């Protein structure tokens, strides 16, 4: 039985339809990616699954509980890392963890060891007594992931987990997100707009304008935009072209002094080509379709970074505003 | 249902932050002290409340009320900041009842406000006010009760606002009128009829009045009985807690 089951979910805000007839199934112990441009309905869907919003119609079940009727059972089963930080910056890393441990009713005798284990897992144990204000973006995000795991949830929601992080922090974060299902026995439901990062997902759904337009494994989705392209440079392109065409029964074209051909199985095709005409080959490269290509084909547009981070500067201004008030 | 763990940790969070930001404590205590000595000191040359009560002595209960009013409202409307910065979202997805969140927030405001009011209370010997130990305990009890009522009122107000652009609206249209029409600066029974009615629906009035019972013993500057004061404060606390809990529970 899938651990997350969303059936024909719709949500209207007044006359605006945020999501329309969305259905999703996520199997236990997998990483599920929910992709789509800003305003497509990702956050609305997550908010319904997290019991913060009720849908206009349809049903959402998590770990066998109904998100509307059994919201407190659902809340116990899930951990969430929201897109905007929800840490208390005036408190230390340890205190932030403690706040959540108590809210989730973790046994008092276990709180300390669980917090310390979680902090070690995200490599923040040495900094546990520092106030969060002093943390970098990557450290804050890691702390939030640790906090989301403190009550041992069965499902962890990650809304744009790597937004605003530098490449190194992103790589670090991905390393332990991919470890989560095995090490912590949780199912991961995440949204991202970095298409290359969605490669780690076991399954992906793409949402646009409130409707799901494609679902499948990353490989399945990539196949829908055509296959891999193999580029070959040889000493004698004409001779190689006719030989490859004869042996493999495919069309080979030539561009910029390079031969190229399209195939569904690029990785296994290359050794065969080398075997056949190996001594003539100077270089080979393989270009696979990316999820970005899938996205462009499905939606006719590209996800742009600047669309998504626009709220950050607004929040920064507000923070400055708030500080002035606090001192007044 | 109320989860003790959740209430405990919400109060703990507020206390940690309160004691960590010592400079903020100094600025919040500066306001009542300035009102007491600058307004009180100046006005006492002009106004004589009668019956041997000095104007500074007369406004002292009101100044305690002011300390509680500002501190409790600020503490409660920090919920608006929490909403703005997402902290509240993190709390709302936890498996705790909305009443626990309201109670936790209200008790945080109550404790922080009472600590501040107690610090201001320590000025009483300098104003020529005599308080027995029993009276001091009574004052602390009233401060706790009043702080809880105002904190829950603040939470009700906070549920209506999503961003802190509303801050000056709350200050100018709710907090300042509540202060001026609470009998803090002038006796309620001497107000014009309309203002008198407004004063009588202001919970702060009853808190200030209850404090006057301890500090202006036997003078005719007291408007209600202690029983009325305490009953109104308890009724307000219960009503505001329920209203806040119900509004919090409602999903969009």
């Amino acid at each position: 039985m899938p651990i997350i089951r969303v059936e024909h979910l719709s949500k209207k805000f007044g006359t605006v339809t945020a999501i329309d007839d969305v259905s999703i199934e996520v199997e236990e112990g997998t990483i599920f990616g929910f992709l789509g441009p800003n305003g497509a309905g990702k956050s609305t869907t997550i908010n319904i699954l997290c019991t913060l919003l009720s849908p206009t119609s349809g049903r959402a079940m998590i770990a066998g509980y109904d998100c509307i009727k059994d919201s407190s059972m659902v809340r116990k089963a899930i951990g969430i890392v929201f897109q905007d930080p929800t840490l208390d910056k005036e408190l230390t890393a340890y205190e932030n963890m403690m706040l959540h441990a108590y809210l989730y009713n973790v046994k008092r005798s276990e709180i300390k060891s669980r917090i310390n284990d979680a902090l070690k897992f995200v490599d923040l144990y040495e900094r546990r007594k520092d106030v969060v204000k002093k943390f970098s973006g990557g450290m804050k995000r890691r702390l939030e992931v640790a906090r989301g795991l403190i009550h041992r949830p069965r499902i962890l929601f990650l809304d744009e987990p790597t937004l605003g992080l530098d490449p190194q922090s992103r790589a670090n974060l991905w390393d332990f997100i991919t470890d989560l299902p095995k090490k912590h026995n949780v199912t991961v439901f995440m949204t991202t707009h970095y298409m290359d990062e969605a490669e780690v997902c076991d399954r992906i759904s793409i949402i646009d304008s409130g409707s799901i337009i494609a679902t499948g494994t990353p490989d399945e989705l990539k196949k829908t935009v055509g296959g891999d392209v193999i580029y070959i440079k040889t000493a004698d392109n004409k001779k190689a072209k006719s030989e490859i065409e004869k042996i493999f029964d495919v069309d080979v074209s030539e561009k910029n002094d390079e031969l190229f051909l399209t195939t569904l199985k690029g990785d296994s095709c290359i050794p065969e080509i080398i075997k056949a005409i190996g001594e003539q080959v100077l270089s080979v490269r393989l270009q696979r379709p990316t999820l970005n290509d899938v996205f462009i084909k499905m939606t006719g547009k590209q996800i742009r970074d600047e669309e998504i981070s626009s709220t950050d500067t607004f929040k920064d201004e507000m923070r400055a505003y708030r500080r002035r008030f606090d001192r007044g | 249902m109320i989860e003790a763990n959740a209430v405990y940790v919400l109060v703990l969070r507020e206390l940690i932050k309160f004691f960590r930001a010592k400079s903020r404590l100094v600025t919040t205590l500066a306001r009542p002290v300035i009102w007491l000595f600058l307004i009180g000191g100046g006005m006492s040359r002009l106004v004589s409340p009668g019956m041997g009560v000095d104007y500074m002595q007369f406004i002292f209960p009101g100044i305690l009320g002011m300390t509680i009013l500002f501190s409790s409202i600020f503490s409660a409307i920090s919920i608006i900041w929490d909403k703005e910065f997402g902290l509240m979202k993190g709390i709302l997805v936890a498996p705790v009842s909305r009443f626990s969140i309201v109670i936790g927030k209200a008790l945080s405001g109550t404790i922080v406000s009472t600590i501040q009011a107690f610090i201001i209370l320590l000025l009483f010997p300098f104003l020529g006010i005599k308080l027995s130990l029993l009276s001091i305990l009574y004052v602390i009890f009233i401060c706790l009760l009043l702080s809880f009522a105002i904190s829950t009122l603040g939470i009700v107000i906070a549920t209506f606002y999503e961003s802190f652009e509303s801050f000056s609206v709350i200050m100018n249209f709710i907090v300042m009128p509540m202060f001026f029409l609470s009998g803090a600066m002038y006796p309620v029974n001497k107000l014009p009829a309309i203002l008198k009615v407004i004063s009588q629906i202001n919970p702060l009035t009853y808190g200030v009045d209850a404090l006057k019972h301890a500090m202006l013993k036997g003078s005719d500057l007291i408007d209600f009985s202690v029983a009325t004061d305490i009953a109104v404060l308890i009724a307000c606390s219960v009503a505001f807690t329920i209203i806040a809990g119900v509004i919090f529970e409602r999903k969009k």
Side-chain angles (χ1 to χ4, degrees), chain B residues 30-71:
Chain B
R31 188 197 332 261
V33 171
I34 287 171
W35 275 76
L36 182 63
F37 289 104
L38 300 193
I39 307 243
M43 295 290 282
S44 62
R45 307 275 166 201
L46 196 65
V47 189
S48 168
M51 297 198 67
V53 177
D54 174 68
Y55 187 69
M56 263 179 31
Q57 293 173 345
F58 171 74
I59 63 169
F60 190 58
I63 295 299
L64 288 183
M66 167 193 244
T67 312
I68 289 170
L69 173 69
F70 278 83
S71 161

Side-chain angles (χ1 to χ4, degrees), chain A residues 11 51 54 75 80 85-88 90 95 98 102-105 108 315 318-319 321-322 325, chain B residues 5 8-9 12-13 17 20 81 84-87 89 92-96 98 164 167 251-252:
Chain A
K11 176 69 182 174
T51 75
S54 31
R75 285 181 194 143
I80 306 134
T86 61
L87 297 165
D88 194 326
E90 316 280 321
E95 288 160 353
M98 192 179 66
Y102 274 99
L103 286 176
Y104 281 89
N105 218 5
R108 289 206 185 197
K315 294 260 161 160
M318 289 298 144
R319 264 174 213 126
Y321 191 67
R322 179 183 172 182
F325 265 126
Chain B
N5 272 352
Y8 166 78
V9 81
L12 187 65
R13 169 191 170 207
K17 289 166 81 167
R20 201 161 279 167
W81 315 143
E84 185 88 29
F85 296 104
L87 294 165
K89 228 173 163 185
L92 287 174
V93 291
V96 291
R98 278 40 187 151
F164 46 62
F167 181 82
K251 276 180 222 163
K252 275 174 226 141

Side-chain angles (χ1 to χ4, degrees), chain B residues 162-177:
Chain B
E162 292 293 327
S163 78
F164 46 62
E165 272 124 58
S166 46
F167 181 82
S168 63
V169 177
I170 294 171
M171 281 306 294
N172 290 321
F173 292 98
I174 300 174
V175 176
M176 290 318 280

Side-chain angles (χ1 to χ4, degrees), chain B:
Chain B
M1 209 181 81
I2 292 161
E3 290 88 355
N5 272 352
V7 173
Y8 166 78
V9 81
L10 287 173
V11 172
L12 187 65
R13 169 191 170 207
E14 201 82 6
L15 289 179
I16 290 172
K17 289 166 81 167
F18 177 76
F19 287 111
R20 201 161 279 167
K22 291 187 187 70
S23 63
R24 201 180 303 165
L25 180 64
V26 174
T27 45
T28 45
L29 288 176
R31 188 197 332 261
V33 171
I34 287 171
W35 275 76
L36 182 63
F37 289 104
L38 300 193
I39 307 243
M43 295 290 282
S44 62
R45 307 275 166 201
L46 196 65
V47 189
S48 168
M51 297 198 67
V53 177
D54 174 68
Y55 187 69
M56 263 179 31
Q57 293 173 345
F58 171 74
I59 63 169
F60 190 58
I63 295 299
L64 288 183
M66 167 193 244
T67 312
I68 289 170
L69 173 69
F70 278 83
S71 161
S72 297
I73 293 277
F74 273 124
S75 166
I77 62 177
S78 68
I79 286 180
I80 302 176
W81 315 143
D82 285 354
K83 278 194 222 170
E84 185 88 29
F85 296 104
L87 294 165
M88 190 43 80
K89 228 173 163 185
I91 296 172
L92 287 174
V93 291
V96 291
S97 73
R98 278 40 187 151
F99 276 103
S100 304
I101 299 172
V102 171
I103 302 269
K105 265 287 176 188
L107 281 180
S108 315
T110 304
I111 294 170
V112 167
S113 299
T114 304
I115 292 172
Q116 293 183 29
F118 183 74
I119 296 172
I120 298 294
L121 177 67
L122 295 176
L123 292 171
F124 78 87
F126 304 103
L127 301 170
I129 296 172
K130 290 188 184 70
L131 290 176
S132 64
L133 185 63
L134 201 64
S135 300
I136 292 177
L137 290 176
Y138 165 81
V139 168
I140 293 172
F141 169 73
I142 296 296
C143 286
L144 285 168
L145 200 54
L146 176 63
S147 301
F148 193 86
I150 302 288
S151 295
T152 48
L153 170 66
I155 295 168
V156 172
I157 295 169
T159 55
F160 289 105
Y161 294 100
E162 292 293 327
S163 78
F164 46 62
E165 272 124 58
S166 46
F167 181 82
S168 63
V169 177
I170 294 171
M171 281 306 294
N172 290 321
F173 292 98
I174 300 174
V175 176
M176 290 318 280
M178 267 181 80
F179 171 61
F180 286 117
L181 296 175
S182 66
M185 306 300 287
Y186 20 78
V188 173
N189 55 27
K190 290 188 179 149
L191 287 172
I194 293 182
L195 296 184
K196 203 171 179 175
V197 172
I198 300 174
S199 301
Q200 281 167 355
I201 56 168
N202 179 0
L204 184 61
T205 307
Y206 299 89
V208 171
D209 194 71
L211 294 172
K212 284 179 185 170
H213 277 283
M215 294 168 192
L216 310 174
K217 262 189 209 103
S219 81
D220 65 346
L221 302 162
I222 299 166
D223 299 293
F224 312 98
S225 71
V226 176
T228 311
D229 291 334
I230 292 177
V232 170
L233 291 178
I234 291 175
C236 286
S237 302
V238 173
F240 293 143
T241 304
I242 292 171
I243 295 169
V246 170
I247 299 175
F248 253 79
E249 191 63 57
R250 212 179 44 195
K251 276 180 222 163
K252 275 174 226 141

Side-chain angles (χ1 to χ4, degrees), chain A residues 144-202:
Chain A
E144 289 202 77
V145 174
R147 195 186 59 176
L149 293 170
I150 193 81
H151 56 292
R152 306 209 171 124
R154 296 179 63 190
I155 302 144
L156 186 68
F157 287 91
L158 301 167
D159 195 1
E160 299 282 355
T162 55
L163 191 68
L165 299 187
D166 60 81
Q168 201 192 344
S169 310
R170 271 164 62 181
N172 277 339
L173 191 62
W174 281 117
D175 278 347
F176 67 75
I177 287 176
T178 45
D179 277 348
L180 285 175
K182 269 169 268 133
K183 282 196 184 157
H184 288 263
N185 198 25
V186 289
T187 307
V188 177
F189 184 111
M190 56 163 237
T191 71
T192 179
H193 72 284
Y194 294 115
M195 288 297 153
D196 49 330
E197 296 186 340
E199 298 277 353
V200 304
C201 297
D202 297 304

